[in-house]
Amino acid sequence: MKNLLSAAIFLITAPGIVLVTALGWTASSPTRVTIHVPSKSLSIMPYYLGKDKGFFAPELVEPQLVMMSPPTAIAALVVGELDFSSTTGAATSAIMRGLPLRRYFYVQAEPAHVLLAQPEIKSIQELNGKTIGVTALTDAVGMSTTMILKGNNIDTSRTTQLAMGVTDNAIKAFTTRKIAATLLAPPYAEELEAKGYNKLAEARAYAPLSFIGLVSSTETVKKWPLKVQAMIAGLYRTMIYIHNPVNRDEVIQYIARYHSIDLGLAEKAFTAQMLSYSKDGTKPRKAVEREIEIYREILKITKTFTPDDLEDMSLLKKIQERAAAQGR
């Protein structure tokens, strides 16, 4: 993994935990899996929470979260230098270009990102002639930005979308005034809005794009189906935990500690993010169909695609059936 993964900004590891898995792994210790993440936002938080709470350990997988730009991650995924990516948006662009990838789980059913602008910019129309920071031009952040501009009758050729790679880069460029606006998820959006930056639009109002989930190559699923199923099981367990009202206060406290923010801001960010989380790892088919239309339009792709070309929910269905049989 020396080539593309050298572009990673952070590599987060944890000691292994030996448990008996319900999926029938023969290994006696956890299998390490590499997963690309574009940020530490609440969109991605289930990966960190699930890892910290040990929700992947019963499946004998140990996630290693690697932060890098979405295009770099997709390239690494295709050549086998990564096991998974969380960026469903960049994966969609890649699938439509013919690359052998699929979505296997949705952490988010719709966007939680918002378009933030410098304090003096009060409307989207004022972004004419300005530079907007995005993680990548063809991931869900870039696509959502385009849809917001088009939805407000802004000629996209009169603005510049600057690919920043990862969210941390976009935030730094934004707060040092190198860019006029950027699209951010909770809690970053709430933190910056509290400091006087202006929220101009919510991405969900313009396009039901998928930002975060679980993506892998069809070759990985073919070779190691149990490894993929194990990751899905860990994510499913995590999402069920997050959605349980009994755990709300604990999750908010986790967010406050993790991002070093006060509880009030953490609760506000969590409330905003909860509107977007998938409850069961799926996304409505109509929303996926609309997503396909948007990508085809922006990328100027003439080939027809269906949700089945983008996603494979068969392994998740097995996990859900197993959970139902166990009464969870």
Side-chain angles (χ1 to χ4, degrees), residues 214-248:
L214 184 71
V215 175
S216 193
S217 69
T218 54
E219 184 65 18
T220 293
V221 177
K222 181 179 178 181
K223 287 184 176 180
W224 298 289
L226 289 181
K227 181 165 67 174
V228 180
Q229 192 169 331
M231 274 302 304
I232 294 171
L235 280 174
Y236 183 71
R237 184 179 289 112
T238 303
M239 298 310 297
I240 294 298
Y241 190 88
I242 289 172
H243 278 287
N244 188 336
V246 172
N247 303 318
R248 178 181 175 85

Side-chain angles (χ1 to χ4, degrees), residues 195-210:
K195 293 178 180 179
Y197 295 92
N198 289 323
K199 182 171 76 173
L200 301 183
E202 295 184 352
R204 68 165 57 89
Y206 294 88
L209 300 185
S210 297

Side-chain angles (χ1 to χ4, degrees), residues 166-316:
V166 294
T167 299
D168 286 355
N169 293 345
I171 292 173
K172 184 176 181 180
F174 185 55
T175 55
T176 56
R177 302 185 65 83
K178 291 182 172 62
I179 55 177
T182 190
L183 210 67
L184 293 174
Y188 305 126
E190 287 73 18
E191 287 184 271
L192 291 176
E193 191 177 4
K195 293 178 180 179
Y197 295 92
N198 289 323
K199 182 171 76 173
L200 301 183
E202 295 184 352
R204 68 165 57 89
Y206 294 88
L209 300 185
S210 297
F211 279 68
I212 300 301
L214 184 71
V215 175
S216 193
S217 69
T218 54
E219 184 65 18
T220 293
V221 177
K222 181 179 178 181
K223 287 184 176 180
W224 298 289
L226 289 181
K227 181 165 67 174
V228 180
Q229 192 169 331
M231 274 302 304
I232 294 171
L235 280 174
Y236 183 71
R237 184 179 289 112
T238 303
M239 298 310 297
I240 294 298
Y241 190 88
I242 289 172
H243 278 287
N244 188 336
V246 172
N247 303 318
R248 178 181 175 85
D249 288 346
E250 180 192 345
V251 175
I252 290 171
Q253 290 170 9
Y254 176 87
I255 293 167
R257 291 193 307 271
Y258 199 79
H259 287 279
S260 299
I261 57 179
D262 63 59
L263 281 174
L265 190 58
E267 183 174 13
K268 183 178 180 181
F270 181 64
T271 300
Q273 183 64 58
M274 282 293 286
L275 297 173
S276 297
Y277 280 146
S278 171
K279 292 182 178 180
D280 60 0
T282 67
K283 178 172 178 170
R285 191 174 181 89
K286 288 290 184 183
V288 179
E289 290 173 347
R290 174 59 183 144
E291 192 172 8
I292 289 170
E293 292 174 9
I294 291 169
Y295 275 83
R296 289 183 66 225
E297 176 187 347
I298 295 177
L299 297 177
K300 302 187 186 318
I301 293 173
T302 57
K303 182 180 176 181
T304 300
F305 286 86
T306 71
D308 295 331
D309 295 315
L310 265 61
E311 63 183 33
D312 179 354
M313 298 288 105
S314 60
L315 294 178
L316 174 59

Side-chain angles (χ1 to χ4, degrees), residues 2 84 197:
K2 294 186 290 186
F84 303 98
Y197 295 92

Side-chain angles (χ1 to χ4, degrees), residues 147-169:
M147 292 303 295
I148 290 171
L149 295 174
K150 287 188 172 185
N152 287 273
N153 300 313
I154 302 294
D155 183 352
T156 55
S157 67
R158 296 187 60 192
T159 64
T160 300
Q161 286 192 40
L162 184 62
M164 309 300 298
V166 294
T167 299
D168 286 355
N169 293 345

Side-chain angles (χ1 to χ4, degrees), residues 110-154:
E110 62 178 7
H113 284 60
V114 300
L115 180 63
L116 290 177
Q118 297 293 344
E120 69 275 11
I121 298 176
K122 309 296 185 183
S123 70
I124 295 176
Q125 281 67 33
E126 293 177 55
L127 292 177
N128 267 314
K130 302 289 196 308
T131 299
I132 304 170
V134 297
T135 46
L137 301 179
T138 57
D139 72 351
V141 175
M143 293 287 176
S144 290
T145 301
T146 297
M147 292 303 295
I148 290 171
L149 295 174
K150 287 188 172 185
N152 287 273
N153 300 313
I154 302 294

